[in-house]
Amino acid sequence: MVISDFDMTLSRFGCNGRRCPTSHNILDNSHVVSEDGKKKLKDLLHYYYPIEIDPDRTLEEKRPLMVEWWSRAHDLLSQQKILKGDIAQIVRESDVMLRDGFNELFDQLHEYDVPLFIFSAGVGDILEEIIRQANVFHPNVNVVSNYMDFDDNGVLRCFKGPLIHTYNKNNTVLQGTEYFQQLSTRTSIILLGDSMGDLTMADGVPSVENILKIGFLNDKVEEQRGKYLDAYDIVLESDETLDVVNGILRYILIET
Ligand code: TMP
Ligand code: MG
């Protein structure tokens, strides 16, 4: 099976020198968020993102600060009267891009009946809409993420728990391991991530024999390279494609 992060792993980090949005940023930048809301969300991003990727802070130091960031961002978004019915248009109008080769990845996994588990600290409703609009939301895809909770009128009132942030992506937020139990015949995993927090995404899998961890090193490359090389089996720099994983899958699924 494949276990993958979404933001900046399946989606692109940059294009022509410009940053691409995360699923949160898509909402933040959209017409449904007020100017005041936009400013506050941007202030949070500028304060907390450098902490998220700071190689000199431990995960223990970062965890409570990430809970603070996500909670504050979700509270702000929940004050914006976002409509469930607006999500598709918000995604359509955004600058989000999936990495080159996403079609081959999703279609190949579907064709060969390989489960794709997307484990994301982003916004589930947004990322599902992205893959739906890209026509790759096949039945072998399962998503665990932060989902919006809408009232009877379809207005966002809060986010459903448990809150998933960059550094609690492990079985503590998977509410039991039923999903993985169903897949207990799957003993080989390819894990895709872009953060040091993505390394624990496969922790709940009961019968792992082989795991290949592929990491996209997107930001603060020089400072983070050592840690990424120690933790991931393959580290990709300046690579906005899924070519490496597609090549490996082609080899495993077709040529062997
Ligand atoms: P993930 O890629 O591990 O799923 O994490 C989601 C990313 O979303 C993480 O890098 C931080 C980012 N983020 C925002 O861009 N804006 C926000 O408001 C929040 C809470 C997170
Ligand atoms: Mg990510």
Side-chain angles (χ1 to χ4, degrees), residues 5-9 21-25 28 41 44-45 49 52-53 66 69-71 73-74 77 119-123 127 145 164-167 169 194-195 197-198 201:
D5 169 50
F6 184 78
D7 289 303
M8 312 292 114
T9 295
T22 63
S23 50
H24 279 97
N25 300 154
D28 304 353
L41 286 157
L44 290 179
L45 180 72
Y49 177 67
E52 182 192 348
I53 62 163
M66 294 301 106
W69 180 13
W70 261 252
S71 306
H74 288 180
L77 288 169
F119 195 172
S120 167
V123 182
L127 83 85
S145 185
I164 304 171
H165 58 77
T166 326
Y167 297 114
K169 292 172 121 184
D194 78 294
S195 146
D198 295 327
M201 292 190 298

Side-chain angles (χ1 to χ4, degrees), residues 37-55:
K38 280 189 169 60
K39 187 188 172 303
K40 287 179 175 154
L41 286 157
K42 193 158 275 155
D43 288 346
L44 290 179
L45 180 72
H46 289 158
Y47 180 75
Y48 288 107
Y49 177 67
I51 297 174
E52 182 192 348
I53 62 163
D54 184 349

Side-chain angles (χ1 to χ4, degrees), residues 7 84 177 207 232 234:
D7 289 303
K84 187 178 172 64
T177 50
S207 46
Y232 281 101
I234 298 174

